[in-house]
Amino acid sequence: MANSTATDVAESLALPSIFDLATCSDADLQQRQRDFAALRRRVDSGAARVSAELARRSTRELGYSGLAQREGLRAAEQLIEKLAGVTPGEARAMVRVGELLDDPSAMPSVSRAVAAGELSVLAADAIYTGLGEPTDNLPASTIADAAELMIDIALTLPVRKVAAHARALRDTLDLAGVADREEQLRSHRYLRLVPQADGMTRLTGLLDPESAAIVTSAFDQVTSPRRGGPRFVDEKDAKRAQLIADDPRTTEQLLADAFVEMVRIAGVADPGTVFAQRRPAVSLHVEREDFESGLGSARIEGQSSAVSVETARRLACSSGIVPILFDGADALDVGRTQRLFTERQRVALAARDGGCRFPDCDRPPSWCEAHHIDEWVRDNGRTDVATGVLLCRFHHLLVHNAGWRIRQRSGGFAAEPPPNRGGPELDMPSHHPRQSRAA
């Protein structure tokens, strides 16, 4: 019975051969992917319901008589991993969303969208876990309304970004709970060194957003030339970048060696050896009114979870932390006397743009270059924050070499495709989480 069902499903999908795909136009190929994605969403919706039922039959209260336990497994998630061939995280998501489908009262709009095949199981789980549980400050009805708002966002974003948007929305709706959620994340941090039989030592761990920002900033300085980071104009920096690009070590080995060196010298690196001329720095973004009142939240650049204002005040006094207070537009203007954007201007651009502003790009500010919307030489452009925008190396080269243009328009920027490509302008929203609060 199971085999015939699988055969029927395979035949109904009419899987194309590689030769069929090779003759497809670009538009047809993309449409086929959309069609299969729609089919998968419907299949995954049913699989989530099955997963929830497997979990009900494998609860801890049932002991060894539970379904998973009778199969020699500790929990339903392990049974689902085995049966569905998914990761542990996907198995847990399937159980959570399946339970949501069986009891849709918590997030009715999300349940309907998953059941209809409009929203994927992973996107639904990102919304559910990102918005979190109701509290005295945030009742279930408000969370349900927020979930409905998140559906439209989830349909336009990769799954990996949906949870970050949901957490940002939760922080906006529940400012009083930011400190508690920050402490909850911090309580999960750990670092473990596990000696291996071959003499190596395995390092595993989790970092809270504040710690991760410091470590990530340092590691980005080491590996940026390897991973598509910004190009260097200064001859010394360019030479160092080339040495890193040519280094026979893998990127992961570079990180391991840098980590050991940072520990050995307690974070005070010899200038030019590891981090070149720029010490690792962390930018902290906070509204002035929040900073002064002590209420609200702040954002650490590159991290999707908010921190409390008390943490912001503490970090503002720390070495290597760059605090940025927002109080309306505050653009720096150095006119035509300087072609390259200054360090302070890059800090302002990073705070405004949150990374590469090209649609769907997730490169952080540290991996971006400052682009003149009006070219400095050809269009007599100014080196101003107001007429600059952050682009990663790939999209910066795309703009300059493939005919794209960045346009200013009311409230932001847009990318205009080259004439030979056609199509409408693409919105270029800021990727900084504080924009969600402003909206």
Side-chain angles (χ1 to χ4, degrees):
M1 181 68 177
N3 289 337
S4 62
T5 301
T7 302
D8 293 341
V9 171
E11 290 178 352
S12 68
L13 292 178
L15 297 175
S17 70
I18 187 63
F19 303 104
D20 294 328
L21 295 177
T23 60
C24 283
S25 67
D26 292 349
D28 287 341
L29 193 62
Q30 293 181 70
Q31 187 56 50
R32 288 201 182 195
Q33 186 73 315
R34 294 188 191 97
D35 292 341
F36 278 104
L39 286 170
R40 178 179 176 178
R41 288 194 295 271
R42 285 193 171 276
V43 171
D44 284 351
S45 173
R49 289 183 181 274
V50 173
S51 298
E53 182 61 27
L54 289 171
R56 274 190 289 273
R57 299 186 185 190
S58 307
T59 59
R60 182 175 298 178
E61 290 75 17
L62 293 174
Y64 289 106
S65 64
L67 176 55
Q69 292 82 347
R70 294 200 308 273
E71 296 293 327
L73 301 169
R74 288 188 176 88
E77 287 77 9
Q78 292 177 314
L79 179 58
I80 295 165
E81 285 181 62
K82 178 180 177 181
L83 295 173
V86 297
T87 66
E90 290 171 332
R92 289 190 290 271
M94 291 169 70
V95 171
R96 285 192 292 262
V97 175
E99 292 172 346
L100 197 64
L101 290 170
D102 289 342
D103 182 18
S105 59
M107 293 184 178
S109 56
V110 171
S111 299
R112 286 194 299 269
V114 173
E118 298 169 356
L119 189 67
S120 72
V121 166
L122 293 181
D125 186 61
I127 293 173
Y128 178 73
T129 56
L131 290 177
E133 298 293 330
T135 64
D136 293 340
N137 297 323
L138 195 66
S141 59
T142 303
I143 291 182
D145 292 341
E148 186 170 1
L149 176 64
M150 279 298 307
I151 292 177
D152 291 335
I153 298 174
L155 294 177
T156 63
L157 289 176
V159 172
R160 67 181 185 276
K161 294 185 177 182
V162 175
H165 276 261
R167 289 196 301 271
L169 181 55
R170 171 69 185 239
D171 291 336
T172 300
L173 297 173
D174 184 19
L175 291 175
V178 168
D180 290 338
R181 290 191 293 278
E182 177 191 3
E183 181 56 37
Q184 184 180 31
L185 289 178
R186 187 181 291 119
S187 69
H188 292 160
R189 74 193 185 282
Y190 75 92
L191 184 66
R192 185 178 300 134
L193 301 177
V194 184
Q196 306 293 297
D198 60 0
M200 300 290 283
T201 297
R202 179 179 297 278
L203 186 151
T204 62
L206 287 175
L207 297 177
D208 59 276
E210 179 185 336
S211 302
I214 296 171
V215 174
T216 300
S217 178
F219 283 175
D220 279 351
Q221 293 286 342
V222 177
T223 63
S224 175
R226 283 281 188 89
R227 300 165 59 195
R231 293 162 291 176
F232 295 96
V233 177
D234 182 87
E235 183 178 349
K236 183 178 179 181
D237 287 341
K239 182 178 180 180
R240 169 187 167 274
Q242 190 60 49
L243 288 173
I244 292 176
D246 296 338
D247 195 301
R249 291 173 291 177
T250 66
T251 300
E252 290 75 16
Q253 287 170 338
L254 280 172
L255 282 179
D257 292 346
F259 175 74
V260 173
E261 185 173 357
M262 281 187 282
V263 172
R264 181 177 61 82
I265 59 180
V268 184
D270 178 25
T273 300
V274 178
F275 303 122
Q277 295 178 347
R278 292 176 57 193
R279 292 283 304 279
V282 177
S283 291
L284 179 75
H285 305 160
V286 59
E287 300 290 341
R288 182 184 297 275
E289 61 178 297
D290 293 351
F291 192 78
E292 293 176 350
S293 69
L295 301 175
S297 62
R299 295 280 173 179
I300 299 174
E301 187 173 282
Q303 300 297 309
S304 60
S305 295
V307 299
S308 64
V309 174
E310 284 305 314
T311 294
R313 288 175 168 175
R314 173 172 57 81
L315 291 177
C317 299
S318 301
S319 174
I321 303 295
V322 181
I324 305 169
L325 298 182
F326 286 90
D327 189 11
D330 185 19
L332 301 176
D333 185 346
V334 296
R336 291 277 304 166
T337 61
Q338 180 171 315
R339 177 183 179 183
L340 300 178
F341 285 85
T342 67
E343 194 66 25
R344 281 184 59 82
Q345 285 178 308
R346 285 188 56 85
V347 168
L349 286 170
R352 185 195 68 191
D353 295 347
C356 177
R357 286 191 71 144
F358 217 83
D360 298 327
C361 186
D362 58 3
R363 289 297 192 188
S366 60
W367 295 81
C368 294
E369 300 169 349
H371 170 69
H372 293 81
I373 293 175
D374 300 318
E375 289 193 22
W376 198 79
V377 175
R378 188 185 68 186
D379 300 328
N380 198 37
R382 299 170 64 85
T383 305
D384 300 344
V385 171
T387 56
V389 65
L390 287 188
L391 298 174
C392 68
R393 178 192 293 183
F394 173 80
H395 286 118
H396 202 179
L397 292 174
L398 182 74
V399 168
H400 281 284
N401 299 339
W404 286 76
R405 295 295 300 270
I406 307 300
R407 305 288 189 190
Q408 273 186 305
R409 63 185 189 187
S410 177
F413 303 93
E416 181 184 276
N420 62 349
R421 182 182 185 274
E425 290 184 339
L426 304 179
D427 288 330
M428 300 181 70
S430 169
H431 293 160
H432 194 285
R434 74 181 286 269
Q435 298 300 325
S436 298
R437 177 177 175 184

